[in-house]
């Protein structure tokens, strides 16, 4: 009987331990091995299917009157047969005159249809006298330029007489997620049909290359010669066009999203050029300070800083200090978004603009015009001294002309800011144009003096200023 008792306790302890283990197992998250993060086992099938659609591009450009010094620094950046001794003996050969020379460069591209249209970068074929395309089967063709768009660094070329071309399918870059695998194919350093793989590191990158920056960043190796080649998703679809690298960085490359390129490619194919919608306004992002200044609580949008006379926005009644909220029902939160939306809208389109003016919502219809290459811009950049330490002058036509300011610009120009002054502490700068003081418009120096006097009892003075290369800012001066 005693033996049985001991045995029962042992069994009890066993089942107790087993039960605890079961509870622990149940509480442990189950890892779905089928969906666990891992690199693809192989990219070979994708690469094999895509390679016939990727081409190598070789161009020749004539440099007029290239001196030996010019050739030393700018000639033949991608290698070639030129001897380094040419730099020493060249000047003493012949009649000593400066001669034209041929600059050769390499790039990549990809076929988009079986009629021979090929997409590449504008900088690959820019000013080229000769464009040659080498297919994956080593067949070589002369290419003609169909059209190009320097603003987005895109170009469309075409070859004729090629048989059994294998176009690549265009994907949807909007669906591309950060962290997903991508593959780049191209001709880095002239090494044709090179395949590299990596992930999408970021989207919407702005690198200062142009007004429509919206790059995909990837760590898939992109090197000189990859330019114009495709960035592919794991379905073999083109989601980007490899375009730029950061020379000082490793594992940082940039590609144009294919969704941005599609409309441009279609226009180049149909018309040989790109036309963009033009609203006719100067704009900047709405900062929290500006939103507070204009009494916009939860609203987001883009501030209108300039309306060009006679252009679509002016004709439709859009005014300076309006805050644009949406275009054709699509919300805008940054100036780049607005510029991109307008640029991608057909010329002549009746565009609905929702905005806020003086705290009230308004809806206007604007007929977009064609954006010209020499689009209008405004620059800004020296007497009365007040107790805040600011010296200003009227913006008459002479001052405007000398400082490159629009002659119709209103406000006063800050010519000097005293050291160790309240204005200096608040970061008021010479060259600022003061547009408003505590939400009251400043037309000239007389207004400025009167408004400063009117607000001399206030501990806080808010200046709405327009600053070169920064747009509109709200500067708060705090009296101590």
């Amino acid at each position: 009987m005693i033996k049985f008792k001991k045995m029962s306790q042992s069994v009890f302890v066993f089942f107790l331990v087993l039960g605890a283990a079961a509870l622990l197992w149940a509480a442990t998250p189950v890892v779905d091995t089928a969906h666990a993060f891992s690199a693809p086992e192989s990219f070979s099938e994708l690469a094999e299917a895509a390679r016939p659609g990727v081409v190598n591009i070789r161009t020749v450009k004539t440099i007029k009157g290239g001196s030996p010094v010019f050739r030393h620094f700018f000639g033949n950046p991608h290698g070639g047969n030129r001897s380094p001794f040419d730099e020493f003996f060249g000047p003493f050969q012949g009649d000593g005159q400066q001669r034209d020379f041929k600059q050769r460069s390499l790039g990549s591209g990809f076929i988009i249809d079986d009629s021979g249209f090929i997409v590449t970068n504008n900088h690959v074929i820019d000013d080229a006298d000769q464009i040659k395309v080498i297919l994956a089967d080593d067949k070589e063709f002369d290419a003609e330029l169909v059209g190009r768009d320097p603003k987005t660094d895109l170009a469309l070329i075409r070859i004729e007489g090629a048989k059994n071309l294998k176009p690549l399918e265009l994907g949807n870059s909007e669906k591309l997620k950060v962290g997903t695998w991508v593959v780049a194919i191209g001709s880095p350093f002239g090494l044709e049909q090179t395949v590299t793989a990596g992930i999408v590191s970021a989207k919407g990158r702005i690198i200062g290359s142009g007004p429509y920056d919206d790059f995909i960043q990837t760590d898939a190796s992109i090197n000189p010669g990859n330019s114009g080649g495709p960035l592919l998703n794991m379905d073999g679809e083109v989601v980007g066009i490899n375009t730029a690298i950061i020379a000082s960085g490793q594992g940082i490359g940039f590609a144009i999203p294919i969704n941005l390129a599609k409309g441009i490619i279609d226009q180049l194919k149909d018309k040989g050029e790109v036309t963009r919608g033009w609203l006719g306004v100067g704009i900047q992002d709405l900062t929290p300070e500006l939103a507070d200044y204009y009494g916009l609580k939860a609203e987001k949008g883009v501030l209108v800083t300039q309306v060009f006379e006679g252009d679509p926005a002016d004709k439709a009644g859009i005014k300076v200090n309006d805050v644009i909220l949406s275009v054709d029902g699509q919300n805008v939160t940054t100036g780049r978004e607005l510029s991109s939306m307008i640029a991608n809208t057909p010329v002549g389109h009746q565009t609905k603009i929702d905005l806020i003016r003086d705290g009230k919502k308004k809806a206007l219809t604007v007929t977009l015009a064609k954006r010209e290459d020499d689009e209008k811009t405004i620059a800004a950049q020296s007497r009365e001294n007040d107790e805040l330490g600011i010296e200003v002058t009227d913006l008459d036509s002479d001052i405007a002309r000398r400082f490159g300011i629009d002659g119709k610009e209103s406000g006063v120009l800050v010519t000097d800011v005293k050291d160790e002054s309240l204005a200096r502490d608040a970061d008021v700068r010479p060259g600022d144009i003061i547009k408003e003081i505590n939400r009251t418009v400043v037309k000239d120096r007389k207004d400025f003096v009167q408004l400063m006097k009117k607000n001399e009892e206030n501990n806080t003075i808010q200046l709405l200023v327009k600053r070169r290369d920064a747009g509109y800012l709200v500067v708060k001066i705090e009296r101590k």
Side-chain angles (χ1 to χ4, degrees):
M1 195 63 152
I2 296 173
K3 207 171 188 183
F4 175 79
K5 243 179 170 182
K6 285 185 179 179
M7 196 171 173
S8 297
Q9 287 175 348
S10 299
V11 170
F12 175 75
V13 171
F14 170 76
F15 280 108
L16 184 63
V17 172
L18 186 64
L23 287 173
L24 286 171
W25 177 83
T28 303
V30 177
V31 178
D32 184 356
T33 55
H35 296 88
F37 175 79
S38 63
E41 290 185 6
S42 172
F43 297 97
S44 58
E45 288 186 14
L46 187 156
E48 195 69 27
R51 272 175 171 159
V54 183
V55 304
N56 172 252
I57 297 175
R58 299 183 180 182
T59 65
V60 178
K61 181 191 303 185
T62 301
I63 306 298
K64 298 292 184 181
S67 67
V69 173
F70 182 88
R71 290 197 300 272
H72 176 75
F73 285 104
F74 298 104
N76 204 17
H78 296 282
N81 298 320
R82 185 162 57 86
S83 166
F85 293 103
D86 291 344
E87 302 300 341
F88 296 96
F89 295 106
F92 302 101
Q93 295 174 354
D95 54 13
Q97 295 180 351
Q98 293 182 349
R99 297 178 180 178
D100 299 346
F101 76 99
K102 303 294 185 182
Q103 183 185 60
R104 304 176 189 276
S105 61
L106 304 173
S108 305
F110 58 93
I111 303 166
I112 59 170
D113 65 26
D114 54 15
S115 62
F117 284 100
I118 295 168
V119 173
T120 187
N121 283 143
N122 176 64
H123 75 261
V124 170
I125 53 82
D126 190 25
D127 292 332
D129 302 313
Q130 185 182 62
I131 305 172
K132 287 193 175 292
V133 168
I134 302 171
L135 303 180
D137 59 5
D138 292 330
K139 291 180 180 178
E140 187 173 308
F141 296 86
D142 289 324
E144 64 170 345
L145 176 63
V146 177
R148 62 195 188 92
D149 181 39
K151 291 186 182 298
T152 54
D153 196 20
L154 289 170
L156 187 67
I157 59 178
R158 188 180 188 184
I159 58 175
E160 293 186 354
K163 306 295 184 182
N164 301 317
L165 294 176
K166 303 292 184 183
L168 296 183
E169 185 176 347
L170 305 186
N172 185 349
S173 53
E174 287 297 318
K175 293 183 178 180
L176 196 63
K177 294 182 179 180
V178 173
T180 55
W181 285 93
V182 285
V183 170
I185 304 180
S187 306
F189 305 108
L191 303 171
E192 300 170 22
Q193 296 291 314
T194 298
V195 179
T196 56
I199 63 168
V200 175
S201 305
K203 294 175 66 177
R205 287 298 197 211
I206 298 170
I207 62 175
S209 68
Y212 304 108
D213 278 15
D214 184 23
F215 288 100
I216 298 167
Q217 180 184 328
T218 176
D219 67 352
S221 295
I222 296 175
N223 292 293
N226 271 111
S227 292
L231 187 72
L232 306 167
N233 63 18
M234 296 310 295
D235 294 323
E237 300 169 329
V238 180
V239 290
I241 301 162
N242 302 322
T243 297
I245 58 174
I246 294 180
S248 60
Q250 294 183 349
I252 302 178
F254 298 95
I256 301 167
I258 198 63
N259 285 25
L260 173 64
K262 284 178 181 176
I264 293 165
I265 293 168
D266 288 342
Q267 287 196 59
L268 292 176
K269 197 173 181 181
D270 295 339
K271 300 180 292 185
E273 65 174 355
V274 175
T275 58
R276 293 184 170 88
W278 172 248
L279 186 59
V281 294
I283 56 175
Q284 77 168 76
D285 293 349
L286 190 67
T287 64
E289 293 80 11
L290 285 169
D292 180 62
Y293 184 80
Y294 286 107
L296 304 174
K297 302 204 182 282
E299 300 289 357
K300 294 183 178 179
V302 177
L303 180 67
V304 176
T305 62
Q306 176 82 12
V307 178
F308 297 117
E309 185 177 357
D311 280 352
D314 182 40
K315 292 177 180 178
I318 292 177
K319 299 182 182 299
V320 171
N321 295 340
D322 284 349
V323 177
I324 296 177
L325 303 177
S326 67
V327 175
D328 285 334
Q330 188 173 354
N331 293 338
V332 294
T333 57
T334 68
R336 283 190 173 271
E337 280 184 356
L338 178 59
S339 295
S340 180
M341 286 181 191
I342 296 297
N344 291 327
T345 303
V347 174
H349 179 71
Q350 300 285 314
T351 304
K352 182 186 175 185
I353 304 289
D354 292 312
L355 55 83
I356 288 182
R357 179 183 300 162
D358 298 327
K360 298 178 181 178
K361 289 188 177 182
K362 293 179 69 71
L364 300 174
T365 300
V366 183
T367 303
L368 298 184
K370 179 182 176 181
R371 181 178 187 135
E372 303 295 340
D373 286 338
D374 58 343
E375 58 202 53
K376 302 162 187 168
T377 57
I378 293 179
Q381 218 258 340
S382 208
R383 262 173 267 272
E384 198 78 17
N385 200 348
D386 77 304
E387 50 99 10
L388 300 180
I390 306 173
E391 292 185 2
V392 301
T393 188
D394 285 332
L395 276 173
D396 57 27
S397 57
D398 182 55
I399 291 289
R401 184 176 64 255
R402 283 193 287 140
F403 288 94
I405 300 169
D406 190 323
K408 297 180 180 179
E409 187 80 69
S410 62
V412 292
L413 182 72
V414 177
T415 60
D416 191 26
V417 180
K418 280 188 172 182
D419 292 335
E420 299 181 2
S421 65
L422 296 178
R424 175 78 66 176
D425 292 342
D427 197 31
V428 178
R429 305 179 187 178
D432 286 349
I433 300 173
I434 298 176
K435 308 288 288 186
E436 296 180 10
I437 298 174
N438 283 355
R439 298 181 59 82
T440 303
V441 173
V442 177
K443 296 179 181 177
D444 51 30
R445 187 160 55 91
K446 183 180 178 181
D447 275 353
F448 175 82
V449 173
Q450 289 177 345
L451 287 169
M452 281 298 187
K453 187 173 182 180
K454 180 180 178 181
N455 288 280
E456 62 185 2
E457 300 298 324
N458 293 336
N459 290 328
T460 300
I461 294 179
Q462 293 187 93
L463 303 179
L464 180 65
V465 304
K466 190 173 184 180
R467 180 172 296 167
R468 181 175 168 176
D469 299 329
Y472 278 80
L473 303 169
V474 176
V475 178
K476 290 185 178 181
I477 300 177
E478 302 283 352
R479 285 191 171 95
K480 300 176 181 178

